[in-house]
Amino acid sequence: MGLFRGKAIHFLLPPFPHRVSWRPARPPSLWTNTTENRPEASCPAFKIKVWLGPQKYIMRQHSQGEAAGNSIGIKSEPAMHLAVVACGERLQETLTMIKSAVLFSIKFLHLHIFAEDQLHDSFTEALESWPRFIRRKYNYSIYSISFPSENAAEWKKLFKPCASQRLFLPLILKDVDSIIYVDSDILFLQPVDHLWAFLSQFNPSQLAAMSPEHEEPRIAWYNRFARHPFYGRTGINSGVMLMNMTRMRSAFFKNDMTSVGLRWEELLMPLLQKYKLNITWGDQDLLNIIFHYNPEFLLEFPCKWNYRPDHCIYGSNCASAEEDGIYMLHGNRGVYHDHKQPAFKAVYEAIKQYPYGSDPVTSLLDPLEEELLKTTHTYCGKSHTLFTKRLALSLADVNRKPPSVDRDVKEDERLKVFTRK
């Protein structure tokens, strides 16, 4: 345990022989709990203050390749940044999401995991237990959940526990230019890199990208039931959100509360106070309101990037998935953990159970296709080929392991024997 400005900070050291570098990821003022040192952003029009910290601690685990200076000959490239929030019983679901991201990623990933403090040890142990050839593909930071102090309880319970944490990423991760946020119930069925590439498609005004909530207005929720403004014809779904946070921090957002544009940190609390009695889906509704008044800031990507039960439960209604297959699966409403949508659960279980290093076709794809054939009595199961169309192409790339993989597997086995002795 270490002391930092009079506060105890617990250093969770992974087992030998991993190298760990510990350092605050923010200036020291963000690491104090004293009120007079809290960084604040004021909104004169509403006389509110937004607390931008602190985080209890941040862990940075460097991959084997990174720690060795990429000595294995891989050219160093800027990392892709992926954020997720985990509270309550979301540990295993979040780890399965991360597994799907790491498994298919091409470029290096930096994972930003926001979790309740009691989950930190479990995340560290799991991420350190994966084989070395997987660990060399990512590093990670683990953060405590943090909301503006004056309304922390209200933000934390909005919709689902901790879900609204995503709204504060631009204010917390000030050193990160762009990031992909995903809900814990997302599964990547192709490389993260392809979603990351949307950043290069942003025009000069766009600062975020999301998919529509629905493709078919006749069964859409927002245009039939919403009691607040929403984006476009059917609203947007925030389960997959690509953010250029540099632009978000500097932009002025039009709104229906004042005639002047407000910065991101000035906008959130007044928006919640105005609409909290009229919103159903929490922070997603707030994002819909924001982009209703600022549509030029948003890039829409097709529903194949955020495929949910709503896209098949009433019959197939996602044209891009029909054509190209599902790129990212969103198991909202807990469908990975019940029997209401067995096709979604089958994909989740297949990725969760897949043993790293084994043949992905015989150990993942073939068993999954067998399970999906058992789901054809459901509407989503009737579209089972969409669930594996893109996944099969991604697994073909996973099957082409780099030469160092076998060496890493042997080294991991040697270390296990050494540890037992």
Side-chain angles (χ1 to χ4, degrees), residues 11 48 73 89 147 158 160 166-167 186 191 210 230-231 234 280 289 319 347 351 358 366 382-383:
F11 290 71
I48 64 165
E89 304 297 321
F147 292 108
L158 187 66
K160 291 183 179 179
R166 84 187 85 186
L167 296 177
I186 292 291
M210 283 178 275
F230 57 89
Y231 175 86
T234 61
T280 302
I289 297 168
V347 179
I351 294 176
S358 62
D366 290 347
K382 286 180 170 61
S383 301

Side-chain angles (χ1 to χ4, degrees), residues 192-397:
V192 180
D193 310 60
H194 297 173
L195 180 62
W196 188 257
F198 274 110
L199 283 168
S200 63
Q201 299 181 27
F202 280 13
N203 66 31
S205 66
Q206 289 169 337
L207 48 75
M210 283 178 275
S211 66
E213 172 72 10
H214 282 280
E215 300 293 301
E216 174 50 65
R218 290 175 296 177
I219 60 173
W221 192 90
Y222 279 106
N223 58 293
R224 294 189 296 158
F225 304 116
R227 296 181 295 156
H228 57 80
F230 57 89
Y231 175 86
R233 291 193 310 154
T234 61
I236 45 176
N237 184 280
S238 60
V240 179
M241 184 177 181
L242 185 59
M243 293 182 269
N244 184 318
M245 297 196 296
T246 299
R247 293 185 180 182
M248 292 177 73
R249 287 186 285 262
S250 62
F252 288 91
F253 293 83
K254 298 187 293 294
N255 59 88
D256 62 348
M257 299 171 291
T258 175
S259 59
V260 298
L262 298 177
R263 292 192 183 275
W264 189 258
E265 66 268 22
E266 299 169 335
L267 179 63
L268 297 177
M269 183 52 66
L271 205 63
L272 177 63
Q273 294 305 317
K274 177 171 182 176
Y275 287 105
K276 63 182 178 181
L277 298 180
N278 294 326
I279 58 177
T280 302
W281 309 114
D283 54 307
Q284 176 173 293
D285 289 347
L286 296 182
L287 289 168
N288 265 281
I289 297 168
I290 291 171
F291 289 107
H292 169 84
Y293 291 106
N294 301 272
E296 71 279 8
F297 287 169
L298 187 70
L299 172 69
E300 280 189 53
F301 46 68
C303 51
K304 64 185 177 183
W305 293 97
N306 187 357
Y307 190 92
R308 309 183 335 274
D310 286 340
H311 291 121
C312 54
I313 194 172
Y314 306 113
S316 184
N317 59 80
C318 176
S320 60
E322 288 280 355
E323 183 175 350
D324 302 319
I326 299 168
Y327 285 16
M328 297 175 68
L329 197 67
H330 188 174
N332 63 334
R333 301 176 183 167
V335 295
Y336 295 150
H337 313 295
D338 59 30
H339 301 288
K340 294 180 180 179
Q341 296 299 330
F344 282 75
K345 184 176 182 179
V347 179
Y348 174 79
E349 290 294 333
I351 294 176
K352 175 184 170 184
Q353 301 297 335
Y354 170 70
Y356 285 122
S358 62
D359 184 273
V361 174
T362 58
S363 298
L364 198 164
L365 184 60
D366 290 347
L368 173 57
E369 288 179 335
E370 289 183 17
E371 287 300 313
L372 287 172
L373 288 175
K374 301 175 185 178
T375 71
T376 54
H377 62 285
T378 66
Y379 276 116
C380 292
K382 286 180 170 61
S383 301
H384 65 91
T385 57
L386 306 185
F387 289 77
T388 55
K389 184 175 184 178
R390 180 57 51 171
L391 178 63
L393 297 176
S394 301
L395 291 177
D397 292 331

Side-chain angles (χ1 to χ4, degrees), residues 78 81 102 117 186 239 271 329 407 411 414 419:
H81 292 265
V102 171
D117 292 351
I186 292 291
L271 205 63
L329 197 67
R407 183 175 69 248
E411 178 64 12
R414 185 191 70 78
T419 303

